[in-house]
């Protein structure tokens, strides 16, 4: 399979090629794989103006029309499955098996949105709660919030963009989207598919690769009524500060923990922890970074984990045997390599991995006894690194999970029902996953974090709620 040499941006539903200024590399070879158009400020302005014009006709679309658009996308994504997966392999360096999994989730996300597009229910509400309200009744419904601004990251170029685009269409909100400059192709292909839908009014969508400076226009323009950003905490909170009156949804970073209790099925936990820590080279905000293991099984599970990690095949993501592919860039790989070296210098033990080759190929790495204050423990690694820590008491393990400025998801391997509910009650995270890793996500569940991990929830129904406003009706019956 071969990608095109150049790709357009999508401005007010139409392909446009004002330039080919954005060069996107194959993350494994480092060579330029294709070029795409880069939106200039005047193009972004035109897109926002188009979204404003499209707000009223988008809001008037019938539920079945929005569902038809989403189901068209589902059908076309299935037809282009191999192309989408290959594009992920190239632009993101994602191993082909992980890439195919993401395309499957893309399809799921649009299918769920299609189902939700015809379920925009409201409610009849009794208002006669006292004598003064006798004869009054109320009703409310959800209406589209209006033009939305979306900024998506490099690590899930398809599915994280889909979690913004699909609910916007389901609710009837026009949008402008800035995909990550390192991985714009997935969103561009989505734009190509949406452009096939004549029912969408002009301005319903724009897909605009842009420089980081261009993000200011996506953030600050008061005509945009919602900003949904997925990316790093530093950037996300800065954008929120600039966003003005608009609603802001942030899905940010994490350094997720998993707890392996003494009654856990260690063989099962091993397979899931390996996946959670190292799938797509650890470049996931809910990737397993901290592994807390009960003292009674610590040595056994550590040995199992080290042995399994050493068997993981690293190499070309297009090879089906590859489990560990490249990180997104040389600079990110060097950054994490420095964190590993700093932790070792501070007293941590290197159990396996730690080597860096080809600029961005970092080995799957396990560290032990990483001290508090080390970046490898306290910050978001966002790469193939996990650290091991022993615990004696389950309560202490929960406190350790909470000892983080992040709070996205946590995993608990235990068969004790009371400990499951204790973890659910006490962990300061957006989601607790029992007998699996925090990396687990299904696309209709509420998903998002607390603390520095963000604001609001993704998951189609919950995103639709964010993209809508309540419109109240009060009736006085005389």
């Amino acid at each position: 399979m071969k990608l095109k040499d150049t790709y357009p941006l999508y401005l007010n539903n139409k392909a446009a090629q004002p330039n080919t200024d954005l060069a996107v590399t194959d993350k494994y070879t480092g060579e330029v794989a294709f070029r795409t158009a880069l939106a200039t400020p005047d193009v972004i302005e035109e897109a926002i103006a188009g979204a404003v014009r499209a707000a009223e006709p988008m809001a008037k679309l019938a539920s079945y029309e929005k569902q038809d658009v989403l189901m068209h996308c589902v059908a076309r994504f299935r037809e282009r499955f191999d192309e989408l997966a290959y594009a992920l392999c190239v632009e993101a360096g994602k191993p082909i098996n992980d890439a195919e999994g993401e395309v499957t989730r893309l399809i799921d996300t649009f299918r769920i949105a299609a189902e939700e597009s015809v379920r925009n229910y409201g409610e009849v509400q009794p208002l006669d709660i006292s004598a003064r309200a006798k004869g009054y009744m109320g009703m409310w419904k959800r209406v589209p919030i209006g033009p939305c601004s979306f900024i998506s990251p490099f690590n899930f170029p398809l599915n994280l963009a889909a979690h913004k685009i699909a609910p916007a269409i389901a609710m009837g909100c026009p949008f402008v989207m800035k995909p990550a400059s390192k991985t714009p192709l997935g969103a561009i292909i989505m734009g190509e598919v949406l452009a096939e839908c004549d029912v969408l009014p002009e301005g319903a969508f724009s897909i605009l690769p842009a420089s980081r400076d261009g993000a200011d226009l996506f953030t600050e323009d008061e005509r945009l009524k919602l900003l949904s950003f997925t990316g790093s905490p530093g950037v996300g909170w800065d954008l929120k500060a600039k966003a003005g009156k608009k609603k802001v949804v942030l899905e940010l970073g994490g350094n997720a923990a998993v707890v392996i209790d003494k009654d856990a099925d260690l063989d099962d936990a091993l397979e899931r922890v390996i996946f959670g820590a190292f799938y797509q080279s650890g470049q996931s905000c809910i990737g397993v970074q901290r592994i807390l293991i009960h003292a009674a099984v610590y040595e056994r599970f550590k040995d199992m984990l080290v042995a399994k990690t050493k068997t993981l095949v690293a190499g070309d993501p297009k090879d089906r045997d590859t489990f560990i592919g490249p990180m997104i860039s040389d600079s990110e790989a060097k950054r994490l390599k420095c964190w590993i070296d700093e932790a070792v210098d501070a007293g941590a033990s290197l159990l396996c991995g730690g080597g860096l080759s080809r600029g961005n190929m970092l080995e799957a790495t396990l560290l032990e006894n990483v001290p508090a204050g080390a970046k490898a423990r306290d910050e978001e690694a966002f790469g193939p690194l996990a650290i091991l820590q022993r615990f004696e008491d389950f309560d202490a393990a929960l406190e350790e999970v909470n000892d983080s400025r992040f709070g996205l998801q946590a995993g608990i391997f235990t068969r004790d029902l009371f400990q499951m509910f204790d973890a659910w009650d006490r962990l300061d995270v957006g989601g607790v996953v029992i007998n699996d890793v925090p990396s687990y996500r299904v696309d209709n569940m509420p998903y998002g974090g607390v603390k520095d991990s963000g604001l609001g929830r993704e998951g189609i129904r919950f995103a639709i709620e964010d993209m809508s406003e309540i419109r109240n009706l009060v009736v006085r019956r005389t």
Side-chain angles (χ1 to χ4, degrees):
M1 186 170 292
K2 190 177 186 303
L3 299 177
K4 299 175 186 175
D5 292 332
T6 60
Y7 289 88
L9 53 75
Y10 279 82
L11 173 61
N12 294 331
N13 304 33
K14 296 183 176 65
Q17 194 79 62
N19 56 62
T20 55
D21 288 351
L22 180 60
V24 181
T25 60
D26 181 315
K27 299 308 182 290
Y28 182 68
T29 67
E31 298 175 354
V32 174
F34 60 88
R35 304 182 74 89
T36 188
L38 197 63
T40 53
D42 60 312
V43 169
I44 300 171
E45 160 61 32
E46 189 175 347
I48 295 172
V52 171
R53 291 192 299 271
E56 184 175 348
M58 277 290 284
K60 289 181 177 179
L61 286 178
S63 296
Y64 81 88
E65 292 175 307
K66 294 179 288 187
Q67 186 176 59
D68 285 349
V69 170
L70 292 160
M71 288 307 297
H72 170 79
C73 292
V74 168
R76 293 291 284 135
F77 296 155
R78 284 173 175 158
E79 291 170 3
R80 300 178 69 170
F81 188 99
D82 291 342
E83 176 191 359
L84 287 161
Y86 182 75
L88 274 177
C89 251
V90 172
E91 69 170 351
K94 187 167 294 200
I96 186 62
N97 297 310
D98 291 336
E100 289 175 347
E102 185 173 345
V103 179
T104 299
R105 289 185 61 192
L106 164 71
I107 293 167
D108 282 348
T109 299
F110 270 80
R111 178 177 55 80
I112 297 163
E115 295 166 357
E116 292 293 338
S117 66
V118 293
R119 296 176 185 158
N120 187 18
Y121 307 137
E123 187 173 313
V124 175
Q125 182 180 20
L127 298 181
D128 52 351
I129 61 172
S130 65
R132 76 179 186 87
K134 186 176 181 179
Y136 286 83
M137 66 172 293
M139 292 177 279
W140 62 262
K141 65 178 180 177
R142 292 191 177 276
V143 297
I145 197 170
C148 297
S149 174
F150 302 146
I151 302 176
S152 60
F154 72 79
N155 59 323
F156 285 90
L158 291 176
N159 199 43
L160 293 182
H163 270 279
K164 304 179 191 303
I165 291 173
I169 294 169
M171 192 62 232
C173 292
F175 65 88
V176 293
M177 164 163 275
K178 177 189 177 302
S181 297
K182 290 183 173 65
T183 56
L185 184 51
I188 290 171
I189 293 174
M190 280 188 258
E192 185 177 336
V193 170
L194 286 172
E196 298 167 352
C197 301
D198 293 337
V199 70
L200 290 175
E202 183 179 347
F205 71 93
S206 294
I207 310 291
L208 306 173
S211 66
R212 180 165 289 189
D213 292 341
D216 288 343
L217 294 167
F218 288 84
T219 304
E220 298 174 9
D221 197 300
E222 292 187 359
R223 291 172 294 177
L224 299 167
K225 303 306 179 184
L226 176 139
L227 168 66
S228 178
F229 170 84
T230 305
S232 70
V235 174
W237 296 118
D238 181 59
L239 294 182
K240 180 179 180 295
K242 297 177 180 178
K245 298 176 183 178
K246 65 178 63 63
K247 184 185 289 188
V248 177
V249 178
L250 301 176
E251 200 274 275
L252 307 176
N255 60 355
V258 62
V259 176
I260 313 296
D261 205 10
K262 59 186 176 183
D263 63 346
D265 180 334
L266 297 187
D267 291 326
D268 176 62
L270 174 68
E271 295 301 318
R272 298 306 297 156
V273 169
I274 286 288
F275 166 79
F278 300 124
Y279 80 109
Q280 68 173 49
S281 301
Q283 295 172 117
S284 168
C285 49
I286 44 175
V288 172
Q289 185 170 334
R290 297 179 291 150
I291 308 171
L292 282 62
I293 309 165
H294 194 283
V297 295
Y298 182 86
E299 293 299 333
R300 180 183 168 199
F301 192 71
K302 178 179 78 170
D303 291 345
M304 294 167 64
L305 193 58
V306 171
K308 183 69 174 179
T309 301
K310 288 179 177 178
T311 69
L312 300 179
V313 176
D316 189 338
K318 303 174 192 69
D319 186 336
R320 288 202 171 272
D321 291 331
T322 295
F323 192 87
I324 301 288
M327 290 184 65
I328 193 67
S329 67
D330 291 5
S331 61
E332 279 297 293
K334 290 173 183 174
R335 185 263 310 163
L336 187 52
K337 166 66 172 168
C338 287
W339 288 14
I340 293 167
D341 293 342
E342 287 171 0
V344 172
D345 290 343
S349 298
L350 179 65
L351 300 178
C352 63
L356 179 62
S357 62
R358 294 178 59 98
N360 63 347
M361 290 292 296
L362 184 63
E363 293 175 341
T365 304
L366 293 173
L367 294 175
E368 182 182 38
N369 300 323
V370 177
K375 293 186 179 71
R377 175 193 178 275
D378 294 353
E379 302 299 327
E380 181 180 35
F382 218 71
L385 167 67
I387 65 174
L388 281 62
Q389 183 173 341
R390 173 191 316 257
F391 72 89
E392 301 274 355
D393 176 74
F394 188 76
D395 287 344
L398 297 185
E399 291 176 7
E400 182 65 26
V401 173
N402 280 338
D403 185 22
S404 171
R405 65 187 182 94
F406 299 107
L408 200 41
Q409 295 199 146
I412 310 287
F413 282 86
T414 182
R415 296 174 182 274
D416 186 319
L417 180 63
F418 292 97
Q419 291 189 162
M420 295 178 194
F421 281 100
D422 201 22
W424 192 21
D425 287 342
R426 292 176 54 193
L427 289 179
D428 193 12
V429 296
V432 177
V433 186
I434 301 296
N435 290 322
D436 209 338
V437 289
S439 322
Y440 188 74
R441 179 183 179 185
V442 179
D443 295 294
N444 62 341
M445 66 185 263
Y447 171 79
V450 297
K451 300 190 283 189
D452 265 2
S453 288
L455 293 171
R457 293 294 178 267
E458 291 185 343
I460 298 303
R461 180 163 64 89
F462 307 94
I464 286 173
E465 291 176 1
D466 277 331
M467 295 176 191
S468 65
E469 295 175 321
I470 299 295
R471 184 168 295 167
N472 213 17
L473 175 69
V474 177
V475 178
R476 179 176 178 236
R477 294 180 293 177
T478 59

